[in-house]
CSV table of all heavy atoms in Angstrom, one decimal:
chain,number,residue,atom,x,y,z
J,99,PHE,N,-1.2,14.4,-39.8
J,99,PHE,CA,-1.8,15.5,-39.1
J,99,PHE,C,-1.2,15.6,-37.7
J,99,PHE,O,-1.2,16.7,-37.0
J,99,PHE,CB,-3.3,15.4,-39.0
J,99,PHE,CG,-3.7,14.4,-38.0
J,99,PHE,CD1,-4.2,14.8,-36.7
J,99,PHE,CD2,-3.7,13.0,-38.2
J,99,PHE,CE1,-4.6,13.8,-35.8
J,99,PHE,CE2,-4.0,12.1,-37.3
J,99,PHE,CZ,-4.5,12.5,-36.0
J,100,MET,N,-0.7,14.5,-37.1
J,100,MET,CA,-0.1,14.5,-35.8
J,100,MET,C,1.1,15.4,-35.7
J,100,MET,O,1.5,15.8,-34.6
J,100,MET,CB,0.2,13.1,-35.3
J,100,MET,CG,-1.0,12.3,-35.0
J,100,MET,SD,-0.7,10.5,-34.9
J,100,MET,CE,0.2,10.4,-33.3
J,107,HIS,N,-3.3,21.2,-38.1
J,107,HIS,CA,-3.5,20.1,-37.2
J,107,HIS,C,-5.0,19.9,-36.9
J,107,HIS,O,-5.6,18.8,-37.0
J,107,HIS,CB,-2.7,20.3,-35.9
J,107,HIS,CG,-3.1,19.4,-34.8
J,107,HIS,ND1,-3.6,19.9,-33.6
J,107,HIS,CD2,-3.1,18.1,-34.7
J,107,HIS,CE1,-3.9,18.8,-32.8
J,107,HIS,NE2,-3.5,17.7,-33.4
J,111,ARG,N,-7.4,16.5,-37.6
J,111,ARG,CA,-8.1,15.8,-36.6
J,111,ARG,C,-9.6,15.7,-36.9
J,111,ARG,O,-10.2,14.7,-36.7
J,111,ARG,CB,-8.0,16.6,-35.3
J,111,ARG,CG,-7.0,16.1,-34.2
J,111,ARG,CD,-7.1,16.9,-33.0
J,111,ARG,NE,-8.0,16.3,-32.0
J,111,ARG,CZ,-7.7,15.5,-31.0
J,111,ARG,NH1,-6.4,15.3,-30.7
J,111,ARG,NH2,-8.6,15.0,-30.2
J,118,PHE,N,-13.8,7.4,-35.0
J,118,PHE,CA,-13.5,6.9,-33.7
J,118,PHE,C,-14.5,7.5,-32.7
J,118,PHE,O,-14.3,7.4,-31.5
J,118,PHE,CB,-12.1,7.1,-33.3
J,118,PHE,CG,-11.1,6.4,-34.2
J,118,PHE,CD1,-10.5,7.1,-35.2
J,118,PHE,CD2,-10.9,5.0,-34.0
J,118,PHE,CE1,-9.7,6.4,-36.1
J,118,PHE,CE2,-10.1,4.4,-34.9
J,118,PHE,CZ,-9.5,5.0,-35.9
J,266,MET,N,-2.8,6.5,-37.8
J,266,MET,CA,-3.9,5.8,-37.1
J,266,MET,C,-3.6,4.3,-36.9
J,266,MET,O,-4.0,3.8,-35.9
J,266,MET,CB,-5.2,6.0,-37.8
J,266,MET,CG,-5.6,7.5,-37.9
J,266,MET,SD,-5.4,8.4,-36.3
J,266,MET,CE,-6.6,7.6,-35.3
J,269,ALA,N,-1.0,4.6,-33.9
J,269,ALA,CA,-1.6,5.1,-32.6
J,269,ALA,C,-2.7,4.1,-32.2
J,269,ALA,O,-2.9,3.9,-31.0
J,269,ALA,CB,-2.1,6.5,-32.8
J,270,GLY,N,-3.3,3.5,-33.1
J,270,GLY,CA,-4.5,2.7,-32.8
J,270,GLY,C,-4.2,1.3,-32.4
J,270,GLY,O,-5.2,0.5,-32.1
J,273,THR,N,-0.5,1.3,-28.6
J,273,THR,CA,-0.9,1.8,-27.3
J,273,THR,C,-1.8,0.8,-26.5
J,273,THR,O,-1.5,0.5,-25.3
J,273,THR,CB,-1.7,3.1,-27.5
J,273,THR,OG1,-2.7,2.9,-28.5
J,273,THR,CG2,-0.8,4.3,-27.8
J,316,MET,N,-3.5,2.4,-15.9
J,316,MET,CA,-3.1,3.6,-16.7
J,316,MET,C,-2.4,4.6,-15.7
J,316,MET,O,-1.6,5.5,-16.2
J,316,MET,CB,-4.3,4.2,-17.4
J,316,MET,CG,-4.7,3.3,-18.5
J,316,MET,SD,-6.3,3.9,-19.2
J,316,MET,CE,-5.8,4.6,-20.7
J,321,VAL,N,1.4,3.8,-20.7
J,321,VAL,CA,2.3,3.6,-21.8
J,321,VAL,C,2.9,4.9,-22.2
J,321,VAL,O,4.1,4.9,-22.7
J,321,VAL,CB,1.5,3.0,-23.0
J,321,VAL,CG1,1.2,1.5,-22.8
J,321,VAL,CG2,0.3,3.7,-23.4
J,322,PHE,N,2.3,6.0,-21.9
J,322,PHE,CA,2.9,7.3,-22.1
J,322,PHE,C,3.3,7.8,-20.8
J,322,PHE,O,2.4,8.2,-20.0
J,322,PHE,CB,1.9,8.3,-22.8
J,322,PHE,CG,1.7,8.1,-24.3
J,322,PHE,CD1,0.6,7.4,-24.7
J,322,PHE,CD2,2.6,8.6,-25.2
J,322,PHE,CE1,0.4,7.2,-26.0
J,322,PHE,CE2,2.4,8.3,-26.6
J,322,PHE,CZ,1.3,7.6,-27.0
J,325,ALA,N,2.8,13.4,-21.8
J,325,ALA,CA,2.2,13.7,-23.1
J,325,ALA,C,3.2,14.1,-24.1
J,325,ALA,O,4.4,14.3,-23.8
J,325,ALA,CB,1.2,14.9,-22.8
J,326,ILE,N,2.7,14.3,-25.3
J,326,ILE,CA,3.7,14.6,-26.4
J,326,ILE,C,4.3,16.0,-26.0
J,326,ILE,O,3.6,16.9,-25.7
J,326,ILE,CB,2.9,14.8,-27.7
J,326,ILE,CG1,2.3,13.4,-28.1
J,326,ILE,CG2,3.8,15.3,-28.8
J,326,ILE,CD1,1.3,13.5,-29.2
J,328,ARG,N,5.8,19.6,-26.0
J,328,ARG,CA,5.5,20.8,-26.7
J,328,ARG,C,6.7,21.6,-26.9
J,328,ARG,O,7.4,22.0,-25.9
J,328,ARG,CB,4.4,21.6,-25.9
J,328,ARG,CG,3.0,21.3,-26.0
J,328,ARG,CD,2.5,19.9,-25.8
J,328,ARG,NE,1.1,19.7,-25.7
J,328,ARG,CZ,0.4,18.6,-25.7
J,328,ARG,NH1,1.1,17.4,-25.8
J,328,ARG,NH2,-0.9,18.6,-25.6
J,384,PRO,N,-4.1,10.1,-18.4
J,384,PRO,CA,-3.3,9.2,-19.3
J,384,PRO,C,-3.6,9.5,-20.8
J,384,PRO,O,-2.9,9.0,-21.6
J,384,PRO,CB,-3.9,7.8,-18.9
J,384,PRO,CG,-5.2,8.1,-18.3
J,384,PRO,CD,-5.1,9.4,-17.7
J,385,TRP,N,-4.7,10.2,-21.1
J,385,TRP,CA,-5.0,10.5,-22.5
J,385,TRP,C,-4.4,11.9,-22.9
J,385,TRP,O,-4.7,12.4,-24.0
J,385,TRP,CB,-6.5,10.6,-22.7
J,385,TRP,CG,-7.3,9.5,-22.1
J,385,TRP,CD1,-8.2,9.5,-21.1
J,385,TRP,CD2,-7.3,8.1,-22.6
J,385,TRP,NE1,-8.7,8.3,-20.9
J,385,TRP,CE2,-8.2,7.4,-21.8
J,385,TRP,CE3,-6.7,7.5,-23.7
J,385,TRP,CZ2,-8.5,6.0,-22.0
J,385,TRP,CZ3,-6.9,6.1,-23.9
J,385,TRP,CH2,-7.8,5.4,-23.0
J,386,GLY,N,-3.5,12.5,-22.1
J,386,GLY,CA,-3.0,13.8,-22.4
J,386,GLY,C,-4.1,14.8,-22.2
J,386,GLY,O,-5.1,14.7,-21.5
J,387,GLY,N,-4.0,16.0,-23.0
J,387,GLY,CA,-5.0,17.0,-22.8
J,387,GLY,C,-4.9,18.1,-23.9
J,387,GLY,O,-4.0,18.1,-24.7
J,389,ARG,N,-5.6,20.4,-27.1
J,389,ARG,CA,-6.0,20.1,-28.5
J,389,ARG,C,-5.4,18.8,-29.0
J,389,ARG,O,-5.7,18.3,-30.1
J,389,ARG,CB,-5.8,21.2,-29.4
J,389,ARG,CG,-4.4,21.8,-29.4
J,389,ARG,CD,-4.2,22.8,-30.5
J,389,ARG,NE,-5.1,23.9,-30.4
J,389,ARG,CZ,-5.4,24.8,-31.4
J,389,ARG,NH1,-4.8,24.6,-32.6
J,389,ARG,NH2,-6.2,25.8,-31.2
J,390,LYS,N,-4.4,18.2,-28.3
J,390,LYS,CA,-3.8,16.9,-28.7
J,390,LYS,C,-4.4,15.7,-28.0
J,390,LYS,O,-4.0,14.6,-28.2
J,390,LYS,CB,-2.3,16.9,-28.4
J,390,LYS,CG,-1.5,17.8,-29.2
J,390,LYS,CD,-1.4,17.5,-30.6
J,390,LYS,CE,-0.3,16.4,-30.9
J,390,LYS,NZ,-0.1,16.2,-32.3
J,392,CYS,N,-6.1,12.4,-26.6
J,392,CYS,CA,-6.2,11.2,-27.4
J,392,CYS,C,-7.5,11.2,-28.2
J,392,CYS,O,-8.6,11.2,-27.6
J,392,CYS,CB,-6.1,10.0,-26.5
J,392,CYS,SG,-6.2,8.5,-27.4
J,393,LEU,N,-7.3,11.0,-29.4
J,393,LEU,CA,-8.5,10.9,-30.3
J,393,LEU,C,-9.2,9.6,-30.3
J,393,LEU,O,-10.3,9.5,-30.7
J,393,LEU,CB,-7.9,11.3,-31.7
J,393,LEU,CG,-8.8,11.6,-32.9
J,393,LEU,CD1,-8.0,12.6,-33.8
J,393,LEU,CD2,-9.1,10.4,-33.7
J,394,GLY,N,-8.5,8.6,-29.9
J,394,GLY,CA,-9.0,7.2,-29.9
J,394,GLY,C,-9.4,6.7,-28.6
J,394,GLY,O,-9.6,5.4,-28.4
J,397,PHE,N,-12.6,4.3,-28.3
J,397,PHE,CA,-12.3,3.0,-28.9
J,397,PHE,C,-11.3,2.2,-28.1
J,397,PHE,O,-11.4,1.0,-27.9
J,397,PHE,CB,-11.7,3.3,-30.3
J,397,PHE,CG,-11.1,2.0,-31.0
J,397,PHE,CD1,-12.0,1.0,-31.4
J,397,PHE,CD2,-9.8,1.9,-31.1
J,397,PHE,CE1,-11.5,-0.1,-31.9
J,397,PHE,CE2,-9.3,0.7,-31.6
J,397,PHE,CZ,-10.1,-0.3,-32.1
J,398,ALA,N,-10.2,2.9,-27.6
J,398,ALA,CA,-9.2,2.3,-26.8
J,398,ALA,C,-9.8,1.6,-25.6
J,398,ALA,O,-9.5,0.4,-25.2
J,398,ALA,CB,-8.1,3.3,-26.4
W,501,HEM,C1,-4.8,2.8,-23.9
W,501,HEM,C2,-4.5,3.3,-25.1
W,501,HEM,C3,-4.2,4.7,-25.4
W,501,HEM,C4,-3.5,5.6,-24.6
W,501,HEM,C5,-3.1,5.5,-23.2
W,501,HEM,C6,-3.4,6.8,-25.4
W,501,HEM,C7,-2.8,8.0,-24.9
W,501,HEM,C8,-2.6,9.1,-25.8
W,501,HEM,C9,-1.8,10.3,-25.4
W,501,HEM,C10,-1.2,10.5,-24.0
W,501,HEM,C11,-1.8,11.1,-26.4
W,501,HEM,C12,-1.1,12.4,-26.5
W,501,HEM,C13,-2.0,13.5,-25.9
W,501,HEM,C14,-1.2,14.8,-25.6
W,501,HEM,O1,0.0,15.0,-26.0
W,501,HEM,O2,-1.8,15.7,-25.0
W,501,HEM,C15,-2.5,10.5,-27.5
W,501,HEM,C16,-2.7,11.0,-28.7
W,501,HEM,C17,-3.3,10.4,-29.7
W,501,HEM,N1,-4.0,9.2,-29.7
W,501,HEM,FE1,-4.1,7.9,-28.1
W,501,HEM,N2,-3.9,6.6,-26.6
W,501,HEM,C18,-4.4,5.3,-26.7
W,501,HEM,C19,-5.1,4.7,-27.7
W,501,HEM,C20,-5.3,5.2,-28.9
W,501,HEM,C21,-6.1,4.6,-30.0
W,501,HEM,C22,-6.7,3.2,-29.9
W,501,HEM,C23,-6.1,5.5,-31.0
W,501,HEM,C24,-6.7,5.4,-32.4
W,501,HEM,C25,-7.7,4.6,-32.6
W,501,HEM,C26,-5.4,6.7,-30.6
W,501,HEM,C27,-5.2,7.8,-31.3
W,501,HEM,C28,-4.5,8.9,-31.0
W,501,HEM,C29,-4.1,10.0,-31.8
W,501,HEM,C30,-4.5,10.1,-33.3
W,501,HEM,C31,-3.4,10.9,-31.1
W,501,HEM,C32,-2.8,12.2,-31.6
W,501,HEM,C33,-3.8,13.3,-31.6
W,501,HEM,C34,-3.3,14.6,-32.2
W,501,HEM,O3,-2.2,14.6,-32.7
W,501,HEM,O4,-4.1,15.5,-32.2
W,501,HEM,N3,-5.0,6.5,-29.3
W,501,HEM,N4,-3.0,9.2,-27.1
Side-chain angles (χ1 to χ4, degrees):
F99 78 101
M100 286 167 72
H107 167 240
R111 254 185 95 103
F118 298 97
M266 297 315 294
T273 45
M316 293 170 104
V321 286
F322 286 96
I326 295 165
R328 274 53 170 171
W385 310 112
R389 55 171 60 198
K390 289 293 276 189
C392 179
L393 192 150
F397 170 72

